[in-house]
Amino acid sequence: MLMTKERRPAIRTLRGWAISVLQETGVIHECEEHGWMQDRSDPHARQRAFDAARQDPPAGISADDAVEKVRDVLDSIGDTCPECQVKA
């Protein structure tokens, strides 16, 4: 029986790819009410994301550049929803 590896959907930007990796590894989630990305502050999930980026970078991107992009995107995401803070 022929087995195929499940492929990730095509991502148009490197930032989009990094967000996808962060979601797949459980580093970030969306605010249920507003949809903002939030950092779960899980060190094990972060390590899984960096490992995934290093092992399977997008075509034409080095492993180090892929890890750096994941780190950049993660640094731009907070742990609270800006709209939920306005209500408080």
Side-chain angles (χ1 to χ4, degrees), residues 2-33:
L2 179 62
M3 300 293 287
T4 60
K5 180 180 176 184
E6 183 178 330
R7 298 190 71 162
R8 288 187 182 140
I11 304 293
R12 294 179 187 242
T13 66
L14 190 54
R15 179 176 172 78
W17 170 83
I19 290 170
S20 175
V21 169
L22 291 169
Q23 286 175 326
E24 288 175 9
T25 55
V27 177
I28 60 174
H29 68 278
E30 290 185 8
C31 168
E32 292 179 13
E33 190 172 341

Side-chain angles (χ1 to χ4, degrees), residues 29-69:
H29 68 278
E30 290 185 8
C31 168
E32 292 179 13
E33 190 172 341
H34 302 105
W36 287 88
M37 292 181 288
Q38 295 175 290
D39 184 350
R40 291 184 50 237
S41 301
D42 179 347
H44 299 290
R46 286 175 182 235
Q47 189 58 48
R48 286 192 306 269
F50 295 139
D51 291 344
R54 192 173 294 108
Q55 293 172 1
D56 191 20
I61 304 296
S62 73
D64 290 338
D65 289 343
V67 169
E68 187 60 33
K69 188 59 179 182

Side-chain angles (χ1 to χ4, degrees), residues 48-85:
R48 286 192 306 269
F50 295 139
D51 291 344
R54 192 173 294 108
Q55 293 172 1
D56 191 20
I61 304 296
S62 73
D64 290 338
D65 289 343
V67 169
E68 187 60 33
K69 188 59 179 182
V70 167
R71 185 172 285 117
D72 288 346
V73 170
L74 186 56
D75 288 345
S76 72
I77 298 172
D79 60 354
T80 58
C81 170
E83 290 184 48
C84 289
Q85 287 182 337

